[in-house]
C-alpha cells in the first residue's frame, strides 16, 4: 500500500512539476565573452557581470590562472557576496587550507571564520592574500554564431584580493580571470554550472577577440566555423605549480604542450632537447600564456632559432638592422613583401607529437612592425634559466582558435584564420536572443 501511494505521489510530481521546470531551466550549450587588447600593456581583457546589483567588471585574461580574483577593497558592493566559511566545501575546492579572522571588517574580503588563498598577479609575478568568496556572475549564452540569452551562476567562486595586487595591470581592470586547469577555474565552474563539456576556446585578436565556454561551433563572419579542421595535440601536466604562490605539492594549472623540435623555413634547428621536456622540478617544456605579449625562448633556443631566421631572411634579401626593445632581431622593411598571411618571411614551425603535426607561425604572427622602415621578429629572449623553456605568447596566438578540452587533456588549434579569410575579430556580437 505504502509503495503504491509513493508511486502515485512520484507520478504526480513528474506530471505537474516537470513541465514547469523545463520551462524555467534554459540550459545553454555554450557561453561567450568578448576580449579586447589593451594598447598600452598588451594585456587581453574581458568583461563579465558580477554582484547584486550587477556591475560589469573588467579583468585580465589569464589562460593559465587558477581562478577569478578581484579587488574587493575598493568599490565592492553586493548584497549577494558570501565569504566561504572555514572547512567548507568551497574552501577545499579553492585549495584553501587555512582559516582566518579579519579585524577591520566585516566587508567583502574581510570577514571572520573564512578561508584564504594566495591569488597571483602573473604579470608581475606577485601574490596577495585573498578571501575565498562566492557571488553571482552573469554572461551571455551562445549558439556559436551570436550571443543569446543571458544566464547567471548564482554562487560563482572567486578570491577577494587587496587593491595592491592590481599593480601592473591595465587601467580600469579590477582583477584577473583564470582559465587554467583548476577545480574553480572559469571553464570548470561554467561547465559544472550548465553541465556542458569541459571545453573552452580562445580566439585573440589585436582588436576584439572572443572566448567561448563549451563546445563548438565557433563561427566567424562570413560563416567560417573554426571548430572544424583543428589539429590536435596532447596537453601535459607540469607536476610543479608555476603560480606566484601555491600550496606545496600542487601541480601547475597552466597549459603545456609537447614541442619536440623547431623548424625555420621547414629546416630543423638544432636545439638542446633536454630543455623541451619538463623535468622533475617542473623546469622546462612549452606552455601557452596570454600574459606574455610575445613568445619567450630560453637563451640557447632563442639564439639557434633567431640565427636560422636571420640566415633564411638574408637569402630573401631581407637585411637585419639594429634591435628595437624588447626585440633583438629586426629587419629593414624594404624587401619584406606583404601577403594575406602577413609579411612574407621564413615560417617558424613548432613540431609536436610527430613530424606531420606542427603549429606553423606565418609573418602575421611572427613579425611586428615597429615603424614604417623596421619590422622585428616578435620573439624575446627568455634568459638562461627560465622556469619554462618556451612560453608561447599572445602575439603568436592572435587570429588562431585554440580549443582546450580538459576532459581529454587535448588542445585543438586552427592554423591562422587569415588563411580562411576571417579573423578572431569577426564573431558576430549582435545578440539573437
Ligand atoms: C572578528 O572577531 C573579533 C573578536 O573575536 C572581533 O573583534 C572582530 O570585530 C570580528 N571581525 C569581523 C570582521 O567580524
Ligand atoms: C642541455 O640543457 C640541460 C638543462 O638545462 C643542461 O643540463 C645541459 O648541460 C645542456 N646540454 C648541452 C649540450 O648544452
Ligand atoms: C637579392 O639581391 C640580389 C642583388 O641585388 C639579386 O641578384 C637577387 O636576385 C635577390 N634575391 C632575391 C631572392 O630577391
Ligand atoms: C549578425 O547577426 C545578426 C543577428 O542574427 C544578423 O541580423 C546580422 O545580419 C549578422 N551580421 C552579419 C554581418 O551577418
Amino acid at each position: 500500500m505504502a509503495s503504491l501511494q509513493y508511486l502515485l505521489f512520484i507520478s504526480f510530481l513528474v506530471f505537474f512539476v516537470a513541465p514547469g521546470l523545463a520551462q524555467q531551466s534554459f540550459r545553454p550549450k555554450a557561453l561567450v565573452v568578448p576580449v579586447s587588447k589593451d594598447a598600452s600593456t598588451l594585456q587581453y581583457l574581458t568583461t563579465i557581470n558580477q554582484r547584486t546589483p550587477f556591475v560589469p567588471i573588467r579583468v585580465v585574461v589569464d589562460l593559465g590562472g587558477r581562478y577569478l580574483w578581484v579587488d574587493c577593497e575598493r568599490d565592492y558592493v553586493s548584497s549577494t557576496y558570501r565569504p566561504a566559511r572555514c572547512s567548507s566545501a568551497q574552501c577545499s575546492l579553492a585549495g584553501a587550507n587555512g582559516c582566518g579572522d579579519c579585524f577591520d571588517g566585516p566587508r567583502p574580503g574581510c570577514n571572520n571564520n573564512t578561508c584564504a588563498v594566495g591569488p597571483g598577479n602573473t604579470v608581475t609575478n606577485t601574490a596577495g592574500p585573498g578571501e575565498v568568496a562566492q557571488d553571482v556572475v552573469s554572461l551571455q549564452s551562445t549558439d556559436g554564431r551570436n550571443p543569446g540569452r543571458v544566464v547567471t551562476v548564482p554562487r560563482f567562486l572567486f578570491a577577494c584580493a587587496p587593491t595592491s595586487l592590481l599593480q601592473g595591470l591595465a587601467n580600469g581592470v579590477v582583477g584577473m580571470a583564470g582559465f587554467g586547469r583548476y577545480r574553480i577555474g572559469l571553464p570548470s565552474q561554467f561547465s559544472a554550472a550548465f553541465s556542458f563539456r569541459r571545453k573552452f576556446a580562445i580566439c585573440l585578436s589585436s582588436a576584439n577577440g572572443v572566448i567561448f565556454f563549451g563546445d563548438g561551433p565557433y563561427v566567424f563572419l562570413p560563416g567560417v566555423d573554426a571548430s572544424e579542421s583543428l589539429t590536435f595535440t596532447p596537453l601535459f601536466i607540469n607536476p610543479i605549480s608555476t603560480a606566484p604562490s601555491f600550496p606545496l605539492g600542487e601541480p601547475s594549472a597552466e597549459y603545456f604542450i609537447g614541442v619536440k623540435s623547431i623548424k625555420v623555413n621547414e629546416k630543423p634547428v638544432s636545439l638542446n632537447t633536454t630543455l623541451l621536456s619538463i623535468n622533475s622540478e617542473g623546469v622546462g617544456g612549452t606552455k601557452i600564456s596570454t600574459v606574455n605579449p610575445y613568445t619567450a625562448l630560453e637563451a640557447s633556443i632563442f639564439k639557434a632559432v633567431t640565427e636560422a631566421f636571420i640566415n633564411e631572411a638574408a637569402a630573401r634579401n631581407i637585411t637585419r638592422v639594429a634591435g628595437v626593445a624588447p626585440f633583438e632581431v629586426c629587419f629593414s622593411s624594404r624587401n619584406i613583401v606583404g601577403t594575406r598571411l602577413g609579411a612574407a618571411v621564413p615560417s617558424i614551425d613548432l613540431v609536436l607529437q610527430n613530424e606531420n603535426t606542427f603549429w606553423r607561425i606565418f609573418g602575421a604572427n611572427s613579425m611586428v612592425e615597429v615603424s614604417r622602415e623596421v619590422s622585428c621578429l616578435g620573439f624575446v629572449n627568455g634568459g638562461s634559466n627560465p622556469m619554462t623553456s618556451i612560453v608561447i605568447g599572445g602575439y603568436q596566438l592572435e587570429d588562431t582558435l585554440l580549443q582546450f578540452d580538459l576532459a581529454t587533456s587535448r588542445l585543438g588549434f586552427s592554423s591562422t584564420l587569415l588563411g580562411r579569410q576571417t579573423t578572431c575579430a569577426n564573431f558576430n556580437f549582435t545578440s539573437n536572443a
Side-chain angles (χ1 to χ4, degrees), residues 275-291:
L275 297 166
L276 299 180
S277 46
I278 301 167
N279 73 14
S280 57
E281 272 112 55
V283 175
T286 301
K287 72 177 183 186
I288 304 171
S289 162
T290 55
V291 294

Side-chain angles (χ1 to χ4, degrees), residues 145-146 221 428-432:
R145 294 165 198 282
N146 295 88
L221 293 170
N428 184 347
F429 269 103
T430 306
S431 173
N432 62 5

Side-chain angles (χ1 to χ4, degrees), residues 309-351:
F309 193 89
I310 292 162
N311 289 336
E312 293 296 329
R316 301 181 185 203
N317 283 346
I318 299 171
T319 48
R320 192 173 174 193
V321 298
V324 178
F327 308 116
E328 292 180 22
V329 177
C330 297
F331 301 92
S332 157
S333 300
R334 202 170 345 107
N335 288 330
I336 300 182
V337 183
T339 72
R340 196 150 50 82
L341 307 182
V345 293
S347 58
I348 299 176
D349 295 343
L350 305 177
V351 183

